[in-house]
Amino acid sequence: MKKLLTLLVAALSAVVLFAFTGCADDPRGETTDKIENEYSICYAFTATNDVLEMDENTSLKDYMDALKEDGKLDFNGSESDYGFYVTEILGVGSVYVSSTDNSYAGYDWYVYTTLTTLDGVIYSSDETFVFNGLTLYKAAYGVSGLPCVDGESYAFVFKYAETNW
């Protein structure tokens, strides 16, 4: 039994190491498993025209697609009435803890960015965290509606949340 448990732990460790190493080789993306305030971050980058020639209509989803085509970001999701809903990044998907007709608790993906306003539109909330000395703000828009701007930084954060409605 002890050998089986040791093998299982080793196998899981290898899977986790592989998942978080996959995009760490990309100089535009960095991974880590913990940052302050108990957030777990999977992937962070600064947008550049080297990956995708951006214009005023380029969304974060467009940039994500370009990163995926280049083999630098693996993600899954689905289109909805509100845009693209990210369900998985680097093999890590949502984890439901509890759900009722008017509440939800679990781990999900959230976007944080240095883009706060653009052309008079507020794209981020006041919720922040600091990653490698850079303050990022929780996006108020999803990946389809959030502009991707050259020089701005973006992070996909996997964290626990409780919501009531």
Side-chain angles (χ1 to χ4, degrees):
M1 182 67 173
K2 188 174 180 181
K3 284 184 182 183
L4 179 61
L5 184 58
T6 302
L7 285 173
L8 181 59
V9 169
L12 285 174
S13 297
V15 167
V16 169
L17 179 61
F18 177 76
F20 287 106
T21 308
C23 64
D25 297 332
D26 178 16
R28 290 173 293 273
E30 186 169 344
T31 59
T32 184
D33 59 359
K34 286 292 246 185
I35 58 174
E36 58 192 64
N37 299 329
E38 298 182 18
Y39 292 117
S40 293
I41 188 168
C42 180
Y43 194 77
F45 62 89
T46 298
T48 69
N49 284 314
D50 295 340
V51 173
L52 176 68
E53 191 64 39
M54 293 172 273
D55 62 28
E56 65 276 355
N57 297 316
T58 304
S59 70
L60 180 57
K61 172 65 167 65
D62 297 329
Y63 199 86
M64 291 169 65
D65 288 338
L67 287 170
K68 189 172 190 172
E69 287 174 22
D70 288 347
K72 295 182 175 143
L73 177 62
D74 183 34
F75 67 91
N76 290 305
S78 60
E79 289 293 338
S80 74
D81 292 340
Y82 304 103
F84 189 80
Y85 177 67
V86 176
T87 57
E88 181 179 284
I89 295 179
L90 298 177
V92 178
S94 299
V95 177
Y96 296 99
V97 174
S98 67
S99 182
T100 67
D101 288 342
N102 61 353
S103 70
Y104 165 83
Y107 294 85
D108 274 310
W109 287 104
Y110 297 88
V111 177
Y112 285 74
T113 180
T114 54
L115 177 67
T116 55
T117 61
L118 181 67
D119 298 328
V121 178
I122 299 170
Y123 285 102
S124 300
S125 70
D126 292 335
E127 184 179 324
T128 65
F129 72 85
V130 177
F131 178 67
N132 286 345
L134 186 65
T135 300
L136 294 113
Y137 300 84
K138 187 176 180 184
Y141 286 72
V143 297
S144 299
L146 185 62
C148 193
V149 178
D150 185 37
E152 296 289 348
S153 295
Y154 301 83
F156 299 102
V157 179
F158 188 68
K159 69 174 200 150
Y160 179 79
E162 293 179 1
T163 305
N164 295 302
W165 54 89

